Amino acid sequence: MNVSSLTPPELGSLLKQAGIFLQTGSFITHLQTSIPSVAEGIGLLYADYPLAEQGGFADFHVSLAPPRDLRRWFKPQVLFLSDGDAPFKPLPLDQAFPMLEWGLNWCVSSHANRYLIIHAAVVEKGGHAAILPAPPGSGKSTLCAALVHRGWRLLSDELTLVRIGDGKIIPLPRPVSLKNQSIDIIRRYEPDAIISRKVSDTITGTVAHMKPPTDSVTRAAETAQAAWVIFPKYQAGEAARLEVLPQSRAFMRVADNAFNYSLLGTKGFETMANLIDASRCYDFTYSVLDEAIETFDALKPPAPSM
Amino acid sequence: MMWRLISDHAFCFRSWNDEFVVYNSLSGDTHLLGLAAAQILLELQQAPSDAITLATSLAPLLQAEIGEEFSLQIEHLLADLDKLALIEHS
């Protein structure tokens, strides 16, 4: 049973009472909330996601609720609660859905230490994964959103999960976070993309989330092999350009973008080193999405190691 | 002056072309090292040594001429590795 099999009133009512058990990739989140904008966002962006057994096991127990203080009467806010604790300060109520997305990222990045977790988008084609680590403002999510509408499968927009042991990339397809100008860029680039309403004045500016393609959600159990590590950088007016990056330099930069590399110790080093060994590494500059897609489509996977 | 690794089993190495990434499991730090610095660590992994002995054994590998200048370079590298807490006086 998927989220879309519930009518909006049924979904709202279930979220308000027992909560839903939402399966995203290999994680199950038990989510409770009575906030209408969150129910609306779940109905819109998570329509294709399976619902796990009601009352069964969940990796994360999450709720969004107004804080119990006087502000709720004149300037309503929202708190993200994980296992009853609030890891973040409250935000304006209007930011409830983005806060859920950020909170779910936090749940995974702070708890899922069976994986090496890299702050990077990751997309797949033909079983080969392209990992895109990049700081905010580099155009990573815009590029990722465009790629997944042009034949690449979304494995994740924010968190690349590398399984310790075999180095496989574990999909965690969730809505793609778009910020500021990239919202309208993707609306124009892919008019059929389903994008949530804009939320302004967040800590990262105006944000909206894009629904992942259905195929990416239904194939969430299919792992992929790392083939490329590509550091994208949007630069107005520049032609698409790939520049080879020495693997040792790529190692250091990916390690800087990993949440738990240090925590994992030697296992983190070995997992990262194997990932880099298996990948061709590049810096990538682009300004036109179609040129970027063309460049990605022409990527050759590394020869399999003997 | 003799040098040795801070621990015989603390390091993991991985190399790509002429650069090495070295993980120190005692400190949790990861270092990007050039060929010469990494070769010094690999030599010291075999046994403690001094700058002159290291210069003599590394010169052919690094295609350097054995002499005062190269020994000085090795001494500077040893000082750098000491600052990174990868080696210590024996």
Side-chain angles (χ1 to χ4, degrees):
Chain A
M1 180 165 146
N2 290 347
V3 169
S4 63
S5 43
L6 299 171
T7 63
E10 284 170 341
L11 176 61
S13 158
L14 197 55
L15 279 166
K16 201 182 287 188
Q17 290 162 21
I20 61 169
F21 286 72
L22 185 65
Q23 176 107 40
T24 54
S26 58
F27 301 99
I28 296 174
T29 302
H30 175 214
L31 170 64
Q32 282 179 298
T33 187
S34 58
I35 297 172
S37 66
V38 177
E40 181 196 319
I42 296 285
L44 181 70
L45 302 179
Y46 285 88
D48 301 324
Y49 287 72
L51 290 167
E53 185 197 345
Q54 199 65 16
F57 171 80
D59 296 272
F60 312 116
H61 295 270
V62 159
S63 61
L64 284 119
R68 295 183 173 279
D69 59 19
L70 287 173
R71 286 176 69 110
R72 68 182 139 153
W73 302 113
F74 58 94
K75 210 169 183 184
Q77 290 185 312
V78 58
L79 259 183
F80 175 88
L81 298 166
S82 168
D83 287 332
D85 293 328
F88 312 114
K89 288 186 175 163
L91 291 176
L93 184 60
D94 189 44
Q95 297 181 21
F97 186 76
M99 191 181 208
L100 169 66
E101 288 299 317
W102 298 328
L104 291 179
N105 287 342
W106 174 84
C107 285
V108 174
S109 61
S110 351
H111 296 95
N113 291 316
R114 60 188 182 273
Y115 307 111
L116 173 65
I117 307 173
I118 303 165
H119 184 204
V122 56
V123 293
E124 174 268 351
K125 195 182 240 188
H128 303 294
I131 298 168
L132 284 67
S138 56
K140 160 181 72 84
S141 292
T142 318
L143 180 57
C144 174
L147 284 164
V148 302
H149 281 107
R150 295 293 184 273
W152 288 74
R153 175 165 68 110
L154 176 70
L155 301 187
S156 178
D157 164 46
E158 283 286 333
L159 303 173
T160 296
L161 306 180
V162 187
R163 189 160 61 196
I164 292 163
D166 67 3
K168 293 282 188 192
I169 308 297
I170 307 301
L172 180 57
R174 295 229 325 273
V176 177
S177 167
L178 299 171
K179 297 172 202 81
N180 304 315
Q181 300 95 317
S182 68
I183 302 167
D184 290 329
I185 290 172
I186 292 301
R187 276 195 206 284
R188 282 195 299 273
Y189 190 73
E190 182 53 50
D192 290 339
I194 295 173
I195 299 176
S196 64
R197 70 177 175 81
K198 291 180 186 177
V199 177
S200 312
D201 301 322
T202 77
I203 195 163
T204 56
T206 299
V207 300
H209 287 82
M210 187 193 82
K211 182 177 183 276
T214 302
D215 175 65
S216 300
V217 178
T218 53
R219 293 172 60 198
E222 277 180 43
T223 61
Q225 179 64 49
W228 306 281
V229 174
I230 300 173
F231 292 86
K233 190 174 180 193
Y234 173 83
Q235 214 156 351
E238 290 289 318
R241 188 173 74 246
L242 272 180
E243 289 169 285
V244 172
L245 180 66
Q247 283 166 297
S248 48
R249 308 291 164 126
F251 184 111
M252 301 303 283
R253 283 167 63 181
V254 177
D256 277 346
N257 280 279
F259 287 95
N260 58 350
Y261 168 76
S262 297
L263 182 79
L264 292 172
T266 305
K267 278 185 192 169
F269 174 84
E270 293 294 343
T271 305
M272 185 72 81
N274 292 339
L275 176 86
I276 295 294
D277 249 348
S279 305
R280 293 174 191 254
C281 304
Y282 301 99
D283 274 316
F284 178 55
T285 309
Y286 78 98
S287 62
V288 178
L289 285 172
D290 276 336
E291 283 181 18
I293 307 288
E294 212 173 289
T295 308
F296 271 65
D297 285 347
L299 287 168
K300 299 267 185 296
S305 54
M306 302 299 284
Chain B
M1 185 188 294
M2 296 292 282
W3 294 91
R4 65 180 178 194
L5 296 187
I6 48 152
S7 160
D8 287 343
H9 308 290
F11 300 136
C12 302
F13 292 80
R14 201 62 76 97
S15 71
W16 291 279
N17 300 316
D18 278 352
E19 289 187 322
F20 283 69
V21 176
V22 180
Y23 176 70
N24 177 355
S25 63
L26 294 182
S27 66
D29 290 336
T30 304
H31 305 278
L32 177 62
L33 300 180
L35 181 61
Q39 288 300 335
I40 290 174
L41 291 184
L42 292 168
E43 285 285 323
L44 293 179
Q45 210 170 33
Q46 306 303 314
S49 191
D50 59 37
I52 293 173
T53 312
L54 285 167
T56 308
S57 58
L58 292 178
L61 182 72
L62 301 173
Q63 296 176 326
E65 267 185 43
I66 300 173
E68 201 177 324
E69 193 184 329
F70 185 58
S71 293
L72 208 58
Q73 282 178 20
I74 296 293
E75 276 178 28
H76 283 147
L77 284 172
L78 285 164
D80 289 344
L81 293 170
D82 184 26
K83 271 188 213 151
L84 294 173
L86 296 173
I87 63 173
E88 61 189 5
H89 296 302
S90 178

